[in-house]
Amino acid sequence: EPEVTQTPSHQVTQMGQEVILRCVPISNHLYFYWYRQILGQKVEFLVSFYNNEISEKSEIFDDQFSVERPDGSNFTLKIRSTKLEDSAMYFCASRRSPVTDTQYFGPGTRLTVL
Amino acid sequence: QQQVKQSPQSLIVQKGGISIINCAYENTAFDYFPWYQQFPGKGPALLIAIRPDVSEKKEGRFTISFNKSAKQFSLHIMDSQPGDSATYFCAPSSSNFGNEKLTFGTGTRLTIIP
């Protein structure tokens, strides 16, 4: 069964450094998402992406964040200058089309900012 | 108006019993009501979902009950098994030009004891 994959599984970085989290969505999916989950808290929406542009972003997704689909398979989340409060589990999700509801989630990347 | 409240926070049920988790929402624009299941170290996975044109949907041991006037929906797990031990999230969304970002509840940690 096709699945969303994410790399790395765990990323440790120093405050102020740039990180890139990578996702490979399911191949025939058209809608892509990033969510995050701070330890012990709920999953929060960050950004949605369709047709090579951001379709919606949350208040969390400020100028330090960017997303890109650099080729036909990868979907990346970049945090330009990490802060301690960016420490969280980051989940990528994808959805096939407007008429299908299910979002399929990857296993997540645990980001630790020191 | 985006708030989604989930209860209880944690639940312990005996094997073979019925597990019931509730979700209350405020946004009347929500028109898709899924429950996601998450095991430790994994991303959320869709368990069962309902659209507001029906009040109940059953898939095997899992049932969603939906009360539009009360703005609530619930997950019932019949004949609960140890393998059902996981964290459950309600995550309603609204159709918005196909975007459909999920708004997660705070989660319920379910433990099934022998």
Side-chain angles (χ1 to χ4, degrees):
Chain A
E1 184 176 314
E3 56 183 20
V4 177
T5 59
Q6 290 185 243
T7 54
S9 56
H10 191 191
Q11 173 96 46
V12 181
T13 189
Q14 295 290 324
M15 189 170 57
Q17 295 296 303
E18 174 183 288
V19 295
I20 298 176
L21 310 183
R22 301 181 192 281
C23 168
V24 179
I26 296 173
S27 64
N28 61 349
H29 284 196
L30 301 176
Y31 295 84
F32 313 110
Y33 306 82
W34 284 101
Y35 294 83
R36 80 171 186 190
Q37 185 178 29
I38 295 172
L39 187 63
Q41 299 186 23
K42 65 181 179 181
V43 178
E44 299 173 291
F45 168 77
L46 291 179
V47 66
S48 58
F49 191 86
Y50 169 71
N51 201 24
N52 282 319
E53 60 183 27
I54 291 174
S55 44
E56 186 172 353
K57 58 184 180 179
S58 71
E59 293 173 354
I60 303 167
F61 195 89
D62 61 22
D63 292 343
Q64 294 299 315
F65 291 86
S66 63
V67 289
E68 194 178 32
R69 189 155 161 83
D71 53 42
S73 58
N74 291 283
F75 179 51
T76 62
L77 174 69
K78 182 193 291 186
I79 308 176
R80 194 174 10 253
S81 177
T82 50
K83 303 188 276 284
L84 294 176
E85 54 265 36
D86 294 329
S87 294
M89 182 74 89
Y90 288 80
F91 293 106
C92 172
S94 70
R95 181 163 70 94
R96 187 159 60 90
S97 75
V99 298
T100 59
D101 299 322
T102 307
Q103 290 186 28
Y104 294 86
F105 282 75
T109 292
R110 179 168 298 284
L111 176 65
T112 302
V113 182
L114 303 176
Chain B
Q1 208 182 10
Q2 293 290 322
Q3 199 168 10
V4 175
K5 292 183 180 177
Q6 192 175 330
S7 61
Q9 259 190 320
S10 64
L11 181 63
I12 299 174
V13 174
Q14 204 128 30
K15 180 182 173 184
I18 302 173
S19 305
I20 301 174
I21 305 171
N22 300 296
C23 189
Y25 61 94
E26 297 177 358
N27 188 347
T28 53
F30 287 148
D31 57 3
Y32 174 62
F33 302 93
W35 285 96
Y36 276 78
Q37 180 187 56
Q38 185 181 29
F39 293 106
K42 303 281 190 181
L46 179 68
L47 185 64
I48 187 171
I50 198 169
R51 286 275 180 185
D53 51 339
V54 295
S55 60
E56 187 172 283
K57 181 177 180 180
K58 184 176 180 180
E59 290 182 356
R61 296 185 294 109
F62 304 95
T63 300
I64 288 186
S65 297
F66 177 67
N67 186 330
K68 187 174 181 178
S69 60
K71 291 187 286 184
Q72 294 178 351
F73 63 110
S74 61
L75 173 68
H76 295 231
I77 305 175
M78 312 297 286
D79 187 26
S80 299
Q81 298 297 312
D84 297 330
S85 296
T87 300
Y88 292 81
F89 294 95
C90 61
S93 69
S94 64
S95 303
N96 178 21
F97 304 105
N99 174 29
E100 300 211 21
K101 67 177 182 185
L102 299 171
T103 302
F104 280 79
T106 47
T108 296
R109 180 169 290 182
L110 174 65
T111 304
I112 307 301
I113 56 174

